[in-house]
Structures are given as structure tokens and as C-alpha cells.
Amino acid sequence: MRNSHGSNGVFNPGYSRDSGENADPGVRKPRPKLSQVIVTRPHYQQEDLNNAFNYFKPKSNFFQEALEGMRDVDTKSCITGLFPIFQWLPEYQFPTDLLGDIISGITVGVMHIPQGMGYALLANMPPITGIYTAFFPVFIYFLFGSSRHNSMGTLAVVSIMTGKVVYNHSGAGSNYTNLEVGTALCFMVGLIQLVMCLLRMGAASFLLSEALVSGFTTGAAVYVFTSQMKDILGVTLPPLGSRFEIVNTYYELGKRIPDTNLINLGIAAVSIIILLINNEIIKPRLAKLCIIPIPIQLILVVSGTLLSIQYNLKDSLKVVGTIPQGLPAPQMPNVNLFSEIFVESITVAVVGYTISVSLGIIFAKKENYEIGFNQELLALGAGNLFGSFFSCFPFAASLSRAAIQYLAGGKTQITGLVSCSLLAVVLLFVASFFEPLPRCILASIIAVSVQGLLMQVKDLPQFWRQGFFDGVTWVLTFVSVVFISIDVGLVVGFALSVSTIFFRALKPYMCKMGNVPNSDVYLDITRYEGLIEFRGIKIIHYSGGLHFASRATFKNTICQFLDINLTEEIKRHKASEFVEADDAVKFLVLDFTALSYIDPSAISTFKSFIKELESINIQTLLAGCSPLVFEKMKKCNFIGGEENYVRTYPTIHDAVHFAQKQLRLRTGGAVETIQEVRL
């Protein structure tokens, strides 16, 4: 037996060994004095405790509870649940909140113009559709969205994924235009999100771990940056396929460097330098003086358009081209595309929702309110469905715009309403002004806008420190996105995230426990010193679920802790010359206080395991089973039935007392016992 409480077997709670570098091994330092807790009670077996306090299982009737819940719901709660605007509108403070929303709305609306057009090109859609996407769906989100600070509209990652779908289903050899594919995708994404809402799948997206989201968005940022290089250099690339596109892009760019348009490259370089100077130098200093940032992106777009008009650059550079002025007429998306893009739509729907909700949670925590996971599915689904009739592609929340919206004083989704009003003016009166805008300026804005996402590569060491699985998930997701494709990267990342949960469940936390002298406290002997292990009794703690996938690990680990090979031990006990050692384990106490779930297959394995232990004279005792685990065991005739495989106790201490009592009876009192103190 391990003796870690002194050479004479006496534990002194007043002192502890100094583990410092220069500590004298013979010197002990005083422990902090602990106050005593005195409790006097009999030692219980679980059934005795249940009988003493009339244990019963609450009856559950799903249909009756549903009917009672429906009766309790009034009209007011239905309206506020469906339209979250009525939850915060009564608390709205005029005029302070309104002033902040107006300033923030104008600021974000200005950002929408260059970002919308740039991200539309990223989605292989006409530039004006980016402004449509920042206008029509946002009205719907204003009514149904539960996040008060998310800035909805175009998003780089979603635009990239949209661009891949558009590229795969339009162009040469296809009967569909880019606009038809984009709007059909928007419709299907909205429909899928609404179905997810009806199925109450709001929390399912959190199967996407932080490591997955970080690795995926960082890889997507590399894709975004790479996709803009052709417009920055002013070259044309051939179709590159949907796999290994980034590698092929840089290979083709390398061959076409001699064909670089120097005027195009010069304008792009100047734009990038201006944006970086603003982001790294001017913006941080200005933020200390004014909450409203310089609309540097809009300034570049307007300046570039005026420069193009003045010097007639459309003859030597790629420009945005025709932009229709006014609002588009509603039109039904092409239904023939729905079946072709269904699988790809699921990916876009989940990614857009996950990013939006993750962002919404950040601001909700800061401002002390809650968002509804399923309500967000409703808002995004309804917004995408509505927007698909007005030439929109899928929308989501943007981190960069949301941060500006929050810092500029935005309090509610009235900010979105203000930005939509500004965009309406642009669509009705100003849109055609941007037709001569060089595309290299939009490419520069997009390339610099993903700077923050690219810097997420610094998070990798942190994920490695958090755990091996998190680090592997980040790396493989990133590598899959960059070197294969975005959709494959997402599938790889999702599979790794789910596998992480599975593998961690396969190896639950188990440890041997020892007693804190003169107490009923039991701790992990590998992490604490001075604990007592009682002769003939082995106490093992189990944390997690016990099911078909973890039952083998459970059995093998217990055998390791008991230091036995069960098959050989059974044979040895059957031998006629067998003599049992004096210090052999007679009782196995399993601490199930942290056992969250046990399934019938695990119970079946457990039954046979207990019989095998009994054949080598080891009796199993269970301690601390939760009511759900206890009821499942009773239902499977594991306890309380005719066979009654094991005894159950409410605490480890009760089980150990029973074991000590039995050992004293067998040996005539010649065993160490727990000191009978009032605990």
C-alpha cells in the first residue's frame, strides 16, 4: 500500500513539505490552518437513504407538459418572442440611444458601399448585388434578429463560398447566369435555415469548435487575399477548377508576372499603403479623440472613380462596369437550380449562421443581454429568403463592421435601419456614379480587410497549449482550406471537431483516490500528498459518460489500477494451490459522482465484469450515483432487482465504512479503520 503520509504512517495536517528548488528535504513548512466542519449522521446505503426520505421519480408526460406550456403562453410573449424588437424598444432611451444609432448607422452605411461592391466581385456576382445584399435582408433582420449589435450584410467568408458555387454552376457550358445561381443559392440557404429553426437546431452549430472556426476563417482569408491578386496585378487567369485553386493561382500568376499592368499595380499599391497607414497609425490615434473613424474606404472609392473619369482609365484598366440605378424588381429565383446546389447550400447556411451567432454572443455578453439561437436562424432564414427575390446573395454578420458599429455608439438594430436608408439613397441616385471605378481599388480594399483574419495565425500556439486535439484541428482545417478547397476544409474541420468529442469520451478521466485523514474527503492520489489508502480497499473515481464506446476503456483502466490481468487472475484463483495475499484488494469502491450517463450496453458489460471480480474475491461498491444513473441501473435490473449485482451508497465515505466493517468481521478486527471522528 502506498504510504505517502510519513515514515511512521502518521499524517500531520499542520505541516507540508516545501517543493521549492532550494528546499531542505528534512524541513516542513506550516500548512494554512483550515476551519473544521462538524456533521453527525448515520452511515447510509443508497436504498436506506431513499426509503428514509421517500425517494420517487417525477412523472413526465410530454404531451401534457406541452399543453400546459401552450396555455401559459400569452399573446404578448408570442409577439416579443417572434419580434425581439418589442423586447428592447420599451427600454429605448431617447434621444441618447437614437443619436448613437444614427451616427453608427451612417458610419456603417458608408462602409457598406465599397465592401458590398468588393465582396460581390468576390462572390462572382455583379457589384451592385453587394449593396442589394446590405439593403433588403437587413430590413428583415431588423424585425426578427435578436442581436442588437450585429452588422448584417456581406461577409468575406460567405462571399467566397458563394463565389465557388456560382463558379461551379454558371459560365461556359452552363445554361445559368451568375446572378441566377447566386439568387438561387440565397433562396436555398434561407430555406435550410428556416427548416433548422423549425427543428430547433440552433445550438447544433456549436459542434464547430473555436479551433475549427479560427483555422477555417484564417484559411479563407488566405483564399480571399489570393483571389484578389489577379485584379491587383491586372492580369487574366484561365479557369483553375475547384480543387487546389490557391496553389494553381500562384503558379499561373508566376507565369504571368511579365504581363503585369503597371498602372493597375501602381494604383493598387498606393491604395494598400494608404489603407495600412490609416489602419496602423491614424485610426488608433484618432480613436482616442473621436469614436467615428475616417471613411477611408469610401474616400478611396470616390477618389478612384474621379481619377478614372478624369484620365479615362476604363480603356487601360478593368473597371466595375455597368451598374443599374434604382431598386430591382422582385423576381423568383430559378427553381431548376435548387436540386443542383442543395448540398453546397447546407454548408453556406451553417457557416453563415455560426459566424453570425458567435459574433452576436460576444456583444450580448458585453451588454448583458441574451440572443436566441433559433431566433437567429429565423432572422437569417427569412432575410435570405426575402433577399433572394431582389438579386441578393447570402448575407451574415461582419466582425469588422460590427466592431465599428459598436464603437461608434450603436445600441440597437435601428443602426441597420439607418444604414439601409443611406443605401437606398445610393441605389436610387448615386449607384451609376461608380461604374468607372477601377477594380484594383476594390481588390486592394478586400485584400487589406482580411488582415485581421490573417493575423489569427497567431492563435495557433494558444490552441496547442489548450490541447493537442485543438492544435491538430486548427492546422488540418487551415491546410485543407488553403491547399485543397474551402468546402473540403470545412468538412475536415467539422469531422475533427466531432471526432475530438468522441475520442475524449473514449478516454474519460479516471484516478485512484485516497482519504484526507480525519475527514470524509477523498482526493486524487497522483495530485495530492498525505492521503491514506486503506488496506484491502481500492477507491477509483470515474468522470464522464459510460457507454458502448467507453466501456472497454473503463474495464481495462480498472484492471490497471488493481494491477491485475483479469484472465490470469481468474485462472490463478481456480488453482488448488492458490493462497491469497494478506494485502490483496477485497473491495472496489467506484466513485460515480461525476458519471453523467450510463447506457444498457455498458451496464451489460459492467454486470459480467462484476461477476469476474467476484470470482477473484473482489466485491464492488458504488458511491455517489446521480438519480438519472441510479434509475437507469434499476431499470436494467443492475441494482434493486433479484440479482442486485452491487451495493450503492450516497458517498464514498459510506461505502468505505461498509467495506471496513466487513473486513473487520473477516479478520477479527485486525485491519486499519477510519478514525471515528465527528465529520
Side-chain angles (χ1 to χ4, degrees):
M1 184 182 71
R2 178 177 183 261
N3 188 351
S4 61
H5 46 277
S7 59
N8 58 358
V10 178
F11 173 74
N12 186 347
Y15 295 89
S16 66
R17 286 193 293 274
D18 191 332
S19 59
E21 193 173 324
N22 301 317
D24 186 340
V27 178
R28 294 172 180 261
K29 66 178 183 180
R31 290 183 186 272
K33 291 185 178 180
L34 304 176
S35 58
Q36 291 185 338
V37 177
I38 300 176
V39 178
T40 304
R41 67 167 177 82
H43 300 125
Y44 283 114
Q45 189 175 346
Q46 186 70 51
E47 287 289 356
D48 298 333
L49 183 65
N50 292 352
N51 294 332
F53 293 94
N54 297 324
Y55 174 84
F56 66 95
K57 180 181 177 181
K59 292 183 178 180
S60 176
N61 188 320
F62 175 80
F63 296 104
Q64 184 177 350
E65 290 176 1
L67 289 172
E68 289 177 357
M70 291 174 64
R71 290 194 203 103
D72 293 338
V73 175
D74 56 14
T75 305
K76 182 179 178 181
S77 61
C78 280
I79 293 175
T80 55
L82 186 60
F83 302 101
I85 182 176
F86 293 110
Q87 294 179 7
W88 52 260
L89 196 57
E91 304 171 3
Y92 200 75
Q93 297 180 5
F94 293 94
T96 54
D97 285 355
L98 181 61
L99 180 62
D101 281 340
I102 290 175
I103 294 173
S104 177
I106 293 173
T107 304
V108 172
V110 167
M111 291 181 66
H112 270 304
I113 299 169
Q115 280 193 1
M117 291 192 294
Y119 290 160
L121 295 177
L122 204 59
N124 288 324
M125 296 282 283
I128 194 63
T129 59
I131 300 180
Y132 292 160
T133 303
F135 178 72
F136 290 102
V138 175
F139 269 122
I140 304 301
Y141 189 87
F142 167 75
L143 295 174
F144 294 105
S146 60
S147 172
R148 304 175 192 177
H149 296 88
N150 271 357
S151 177
M152 310 306 294
T154 54
L155 176 67
V157 175
V158 173
S159 297
I160 296 170
M161 299 178 76
T162 300
K164 297 298 294 181
V165 178
V166 171
Y167 176 83
N168 291 339
H169 296 276
S170 64
S174 171
N175 297 323
Y176 308 115
T177 64
N178 290 22
L179 184 61
E180 285 180 316
V181 178
T183 54
L185 177 67
C186 190
F187 183 92
M188 285 303 298
V189 166
L191 190 62
I192 290 167
Q193 288 170 337
L194 288 178
V195 171
M196 290 173 65
C197 175
L198 291 174
L199 296 176
R200 315 297 292 174
M201 295 175 63
S205 63
F206 291 97
L207 288 173
L208 305 179
S209 64
E210 289 186 12
L212 160 61
V213 173
S214 177
F216 176 77
T217 52
T218 307
V222 174
Y223 188 98
V224 172
F225 182 83
T226 302
S227 67
Q228 301 309 303
M229 291 304 297
K230 64 180 186 300
D231 285 330
I232 290 175
L233 297 176
V235 298
T236 302
L237 300 182
L240 300 174
S242 59
R243 297 288 182 265
F244 312 104
E245 186 171 351
I246 291 181
V247 176
N248 292 331
T249 296
Y250 282 110
Y251 174 74
E252 294 294 337
L253 286 172
K255 293 196 302 184
R256 286 166 175 75
I257 284 180
D259 301 330
T260 299
N261 187 319
L262 296 180
I263 298 176
N264 199 94
L265 179 61
I267 294 175
V270 170
S271 300
I272 290 173
I273 291 170
I274 291 173
L275 288 167
L276 290 175
I277 290 174
N278 176 76
N279 292 346
E280 302 298 327
I281 300 175
I282 300 175
K283 192 175 180 180
R285 297 181 180 179
L286 185 64
K288 299 176 182 178
L289 305 174
C290 179
I291 59 174
I292 303 176
I294 296 175
I296 189 67
Q297 295 174 333
L298 184 64
I299 291 172
L300 275 177
V301 167
V302 172
S303 301
T305 304
L306 294 174
L307 187 70
S308 179
I309 294 172
Q310 177 69 28
Y311 294 99
N312 199 26
L313 295 179
K314 65 180 181 180
D315 295 334
S316 55
L317 301 178
K318 293 181 180 179
V319 296
V320 169
T322 304
I323 298 178
Q325 193 155 298
L327 300 177
Q331 185 176 0
M332 177 69 189
N334 193 328
V335 296
N336 297 323
L337 274 162
F338 293 168
S339 60
E340 296 183 29
I341 62 174
F342 175 72
V343 175
E344 295 160 304
S345 301
I346 295 175
T347 307
V348 178
V350 171
V351 171
Y353 168 70
T354 302
I355 293 175
S356 299
V357 169
S358 301
L359 189 57
I361 289 173
I362 294 173
F363 291 106
K365 286 182 178 178
K366 286 184 179 180
E367 294 299 318
N368 195 29
Y369 68 93
E370 293 184 357
I371 66 170
F373 297 144
N374 288 298
Q375 185 66 28
E376 286 297 293
L377 277 173
L378 173 63
L380 287 167
N384 277 315
L385 213 61
F386 179 75
S388 67
F389 291 91
F390 295 92
S391 303
C392 297
F393 55 90
F395 82 117
S398 164
L399 176 59
S400 59
R401 289 196 310 270
I404 295 297
Q405 178 173 312
Y406 182 75
L407 293 174
K411 302 293 183 183
T412 68
Q413 280 301 326
I414 288 179
T415 298
L417 205 59
V418 174
S419 67
C420 284
S421 302
L422 178 63
L423 292 178
V425 173
V426 172
L427 290 171
L428 291 172
F429 305 107
V430 188
S432 59
F433 167 76
F434 297 107
E435 290 181 357
L437 173 65
R439 291 176 61 148
C440 61
I441 292 180
L442 290 178
S444 303
I445 291 171
I446 294 171
V448 174
S449 70
V450 298
Q451 178 186 5
L453 293 176
L454 289 171
M455 290 299 102
Q456 288 182 146
V457 73
K458 295 179 180 179
D459 296 340
L460 179 56
Q462 178 184 348
F463 285 114
W464 276 114
R465 287 193 297 271
Q466 290 175 358
F468 172 78
F469 284 113
D470 288 332
V472 169
T473 298
W474 197 100
V475 170
L476 292 184
T477 302
F478 175 81
V479 169
S480 299
V481 170
V482 171
F483 291 100
I484 304 178
S485 67
I486 286 182
D487 51 349
V488 171
L490 183 63
V491 171
V492 168
F494 183 78
L496 288 169
S497 291
V498 175
S499 299
T500 298
I501 300 172
F502 179 73
F503 284 121
R504 283 172 177 164
L506 284 179
K507 193 168 183 180
Y509 170 59
M510 296 179 70
C511 67
K512 289 188 288 186
M513 303 186 79
N515 176 246
V516 175
N518 302 328
S519 78
D520 62 347
V521 177
Y522 293 80
L523 303 173
D524 183 349
I525 65 172
T526 63
R527 286 173 166 79
Y528 294 89
E529 291 185 345
L531 304 179
I532 297 173
E533 289 186 87
F534 299 107
R535 183 180 299 174
I537 303 172
K538 192 69 70 176
I539 308 167
I540 297 176
H541 172 82
Y542 184 91
S543 178
L546 185 52
H547 41 73
F548 66 93
S550 60
R551 57 186 176 177
T553 302
F554 169 75
K555 180 178 176 179
N556 293 336
T557 306
I558 289 179
C559 289
Q560 290 174 13
F561 285 154
L562 294 175
D563 195 21
I564 60 172
N565 182 311
L566 194 54
T567 304
E568 294 181 1
E569 198 69 22
I570 292 172
K571 291 179 181 178
R572 200 165 68 87
H573 275 69
K574 290 180 179 179
S576 57
E577 68 275 10
F578 171 74
V579 177
E580 191 167 52
D582 292 337
D583 61 349
V585 176
K586 302 293 193 303
F587 287 91
L588 170 65
V589 178
L590 294 176
D591 174 26
F592 278 175
T593 51
L595 176 63
S596 57
Y597 171 77
I598 187 167
D599 70 1
S601 59
I603 290 176
S604 178
T605 301
F606 204 0
K607 287 178 181 178
S608 60
F609 182 45
I610 285 174
K611 287 182 177 179
E612 290 173 329
L613 290 176
E614 287 177 349
S615 68
I616 60 173
N617 300 326
I618 297 178
Q619 184 177 349
T620 305
L621 308 176
L622 304 185
C625 296
S626 68
L628 290 177
V629 171
F630 184 78
E631 289 161 6
K632 177 65 76 173
M633 288 180 174
K634 288 196 72 171
K635 191 178 292 185
C636 295
N637 295 319
F638 186 56
I639 56 178
E642 294 180 1
E643 297 185 56
N644 198 25
Y645 287 84
V646 291
R647 289 175 175 267
T648 57
Y649 295 87
T651 69
I652 301 174
H653 209 54
D654 291 293
V656 170
H657 266 283
F658 171 80
Q660 294 246 298
K661 183 178 178 181
Q662 294 299 310
L663 288 172
R664 285 198 299 271
L665 292 174
R666 296 179 190 178
T667 60
V671 295
E672 59 187 353
T673 62
I674 299 174
Q675 296 183 21
E676 292 292 340
V677 295
R678 296 168 68 194
L679 302 175

